[in-house]
């Protein structure tokens, strides 16, 4: 079985910082409520001239530059997003053009909401099995501020904008143990598309927060256990756990269920809120640039979100 390795990372965040107090000026909420219930203190919102493509481009350029990866080495570009600027061309095609990637590249967007980056890694692995000599660029990019209902305090305080990217290479000797799932559910979490039976729709995220919370604390520990068991290692042999950055209480629950110290669960959601498919690659880049990751360390990534979808992967840094 061919494993994969992340050889470099990058991220790009809008400059505009929106604090909990800023949100309290829009809806009936408070810094105290948001901090206690979620751990989020601030988030970034895109400026009018920024979008999913520009953020993805910034993150992708940073990943290519930090790894010294020439564009011709990229064989596929995958963008996980549910907030694309255009449906056609997809975001990945625009990256091909703007990054000067070769034209014989596979360029596709994938939408699995907050599990998108995990699904992207899985697809990357499949592509690398077929073409191990080139790399796959996997990007998560979202502008959730454009699909948030700013009159719904139950959702608008949670989300932020940003992008993260990783250059992924085939690594036959490295482990890559993966699990994922989907349970179709349009009640717990939904965001409309372009048209419905009544005509054009205007997409906004609608969520039953309690239901998604229950889903996350049930699914994520089981997915993580599954990949560690399949890899034949114990939870304590994992150096870092990196969960989708939605809520600090969800991550604390996961740590407790797995009987692992919370310190092994990286968190940066206080700064950026929930950036959906971008949250894991943004966090990975922060860990990487912060010197937290050393080659050979065992890393478990875990995502969950709309769909409902989930996924976990055990890999070596
Ligand atoms: N400020 C103040 N009060 C609020 C706010 C707010 N921003 N939002 C909700 N409340 C109120 C509710 O109205 C409710 O009041 P009531 O008791 O008078 O009815 C009370 O707070 C409790 O509401 P709950 O929804 O039960 O609060 P909970 O503790 O569950 O926290 C939250 C809500 C933060 C949304 C939590 O359920 C959560 O994190 N869920 C998971 C969300 C998630 O992880 N999503 C990831 C996927 S996102 C994706 O895929 C795009």
């Amino acid at each position: 079985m061919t494993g994969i390795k992340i050889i470099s990372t990058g991220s790009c965040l809008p400059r505009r910082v929106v604090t909990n107090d800023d949100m309290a000026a829009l809806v009936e909420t408070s810094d105290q409520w948001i901090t206690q219930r979620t751990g989020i203190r601030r988030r970034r919102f895109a400026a009018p001239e920024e979008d999913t493509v520009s953020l993805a481009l910034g993150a992708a350029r940073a990943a290519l530059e930090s790894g010294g990866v020439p564009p011709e080495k990229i064989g596929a570009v995958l963008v996980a997003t549910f907030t694309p600027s255009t449906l056609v061309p997809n975001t990945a095609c625009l990256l091909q053009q703007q990054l000067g990637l070769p034209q014989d590249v596979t360029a596709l967007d994938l939408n699995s909401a907050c599990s998108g980056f995990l699904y992207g890694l899985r697809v990357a692995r499949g592509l690398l099995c077929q073409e191990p000599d080139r790399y796959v660029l996997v990007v998560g990019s979202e502008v959730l501020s454009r699909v948030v209902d700013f009159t719904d305090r139950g959702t608008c305080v949670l989300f932020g904008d940003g992008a993260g990217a990783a250059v992924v290479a085939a690594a036959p000797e490295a482990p890559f143990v993966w699990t994922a799932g989907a349970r179709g559910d349009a009640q717990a979490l939904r965001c409309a598309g372009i048209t419905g039976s009544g005509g054009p729709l205007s997409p906004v995220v609608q969520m039953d927060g309690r239901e998604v919370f229950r889903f996350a604390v049930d699914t994520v520990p089981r997915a993580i256990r599954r990949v560690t068991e399949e890899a034949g290692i114990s939870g304590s042999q994992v150096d870092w756990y990196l969960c989708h950055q939605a809520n600090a209480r969800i991550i604390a629950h996961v740590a407790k269920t797995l009987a692992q110290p919370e310190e092994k669960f990286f968190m940066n959601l206080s700064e950026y809120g929930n950036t959906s498919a971008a949250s894991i690659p943004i966090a990975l880049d922060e860990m990487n640039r912060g010197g937290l990751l050393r080659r050979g360390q065992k890393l478990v990534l875990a995502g969950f979100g709309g769909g409902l979808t989930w996924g976990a992967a055990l890999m070596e840094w």
Side-chain angles (χ1 to χ4, degrees), residues 96-116:
Q96 180 279 327
Q97 180 200 34
Q98 296 186 35
L99 291 169
L101 302 181
Q103 289 191 7
D104 65 339
V105 79
T106 300
L108 65 96
D109 284 10
L110 51 92
N111 169 6
S112 309
C114 305
S115 309

Side-chain angles (χ1 to χ4, degrees), residues 165-199:
V167 177
V168 183
E173 308 304 322
F176 182 70
V177 183
W178 193 85
T179 184
R183 182 198 303 162
D185 182 337
Q187 301 306 314
L189 215 168
R190 61 178 281 117
C191 184
I194 302 166
T195 57
S197 51

Side-chain angles (χ1 to χ4, degrees), residues 29 33 37 114 153 189 209-210 212 246-247 249-250 274 305-306:
T29 190
W33 192 96
R37 297 290 179 118
C114 305
R153 67 178 181 173
L189 215 168
R210 280 182 211 184
V212 177
N247 186 318
R249 287 192 296 137
I250 291 177
N274 177 347

